[in-house]
Amino acid sequence: MTITILTLFPEMFDGFQTNSIMKRALGKGVASIKVVNIRDYTKDKYGRTDTPPVGGGAGLIEKAQPIVDAIRANELPNTHKILMSPRGKTYNEALAKNYAKVDNLMIICGHYEGIDERVNAYVDELVSIGDYVLTGGEIPAMAIADSVIRLLDGAISEDSLKDESFNDSALEYPQYTEPYDFEGQTVPDILYCGNHEAIEKWRRKQSLKLTREFRPDLFKNLQLSKKDLKLLAELEDENPPKWEVDAIDKGKKFKKNK
Ligand code: ADE
């Protein structure tokens, strides 16, 4: 997949492509990113890409011509084109999964006070990354490129993708590292028991608990299995269930790195 990004600020994408997991994924050829400067396409003799709005009003509006010509000149076969806009549909993991399946993606970043309305007719959809207004579409474009690329084969390990937040709309379980005791907060003993089934069960329970507490909107849409309902019932009891106590007891031989 090639992700083509149309922007007036191409340098903003330098750090994005040259660090961390994006750098590795792009280096491995998981995807490629092409950053296009919209200004290269303006027909304005002074190189301008924006102008005051017709009818008056504050600020400068991005002209349609440079953007539309940039789209036409850089569109690859089967390209899904999205325009970053606070007015668009709210981005989420389900959309990221859809975009990860397209052949090519084009992300158009708006800037300044707005963009000529007629550009909308040249894209497939308008997308927002949340109900707040940023000064431009570059940060939203990075958020989308990052969340799509990490889903592509070879970007990160299958295991990392398996358990994470939003996979079945539940938040990810809490994670811990050594040492056992960090300033009085300890790692839950079950994680030292060595019984992978018990650990997985405990993690699912925590995942359900966190989702119910922090994202009731997601929790209400969860498809809860019989096992899930049992785990949720356990949360009502202030004492840990027998399977948890047994697993911890049996695992006492595993040493904590205190
Ligand atoms: N441009 C400005 N704010 C935005 C947002 N929240 N999402 C997408 N594009 C934007």
Side-chain angles (χ1 to χ4, degrees), residues 10 26 33 36 41 51 58 97 110 128 144 162 198-199 208 211 223:
L26 297 170
I33 290 187
V36 173
Y41 293 87
T51 177
K97 283 182 180 155
S128 160
I144 289 179
K162 197 176 99 240
I199 291 176
L208 295 171
T211 312
Q223 309 269 320

Side-chain angles (χ1 to χ4, degrees), residues 1-7 13 16-17 26 31-38 41 67 69-84 102-109 141-142 144-145 148-149:
M1 174 193 295
T2 294
I3 301 181
T4 305
I5 299 168
L6 307 192
T7 172
F13 293 88
F16 173 70
Q17 295 181 74
L26 297 170
S32 56
I33 290 187
K34 183 179 176 195
V35 182
V36 173
N37 193 341
I38 294 170
Y41 293 87
I67 299 174
D69 282 354
I71 293 174
R72 289 199 175 116
N74 292 284
E75 187 171 350
L76 295 166
N78 305 323
T79 295
H80 187 70
K81 290 165 283 180
I82 57 176
L83 173 64
M84 297 293 91
V102 306
D103 288 341
N104 294 297
L105 190 64
M106 181 180 274
I107 310 178
I108 299 132
C109 308
M142 285 181 222
I144 289 179
V148 169
I149 290 172

Side-chain angles (χ1 to χ4, degrees), residues 60-179:
L60 297 170
I61 304 298
E62 277 189 57
K63 287 149 67 83
Q65 175 274 316
I67 299 174
V68 171
D69 282 354
I71 293 174
R72 289 199 175 116
N74 292 284
E75 187 171 350
L76 295 166
N78 305 323
T79 295
H80 187 70
K81 290 165 283 180
I82 57 176
L83 173 64
M84 297 293 91
S85 163
R87 194 206 291 172
K89 74 161 78 146
T90 308
Y91 191 61
N92 59 19
E93 191 64 20
L95 265 184
K97 283 182 180 155
N98 286 343
Y99 294 165
K101 289 185 204 133
V102 306
D103 288 341
N104 294 297
L105 190 64
M106 181 180 274
I107 310 178
I108 299 132
C109 308
H111 231 270
Y112 304 132
E113 307 294 327
I115 194 163
D116 189 313
E117 188 72 14
R118 293 168 295 184
V119 171
N120 296 354
Y122 297 83
V123 301
D124 296 302
E125 58 188 338
L126 272 59
V127 177
S128 160
I129 59 161
D131 288 341
Y132 43 86
V133 181
L134 297 159
T135 54
E138 282 72 18
I139 289 170
M142 285 181 222
I144 289 179
D146 185 296
S147 58
V148 169
I149 290 172
R150 67 186 291 288
L151 292 174
L152 300 177
D153 284 348
I156 56 179
S157 80
E158 292 283 317
D159 279 352
S160 305
L161 290 176
K162 197 176 99 240
D163 287 339
E164 71 190 5
S165 295
F166 306 119
N167 245 352
D168 75 338
S169 300
L171 299 179
E172 195 180 353
Y173 51 79
Q175 301 272 26
Y176 297 85
T177 62
E178 299 290 353

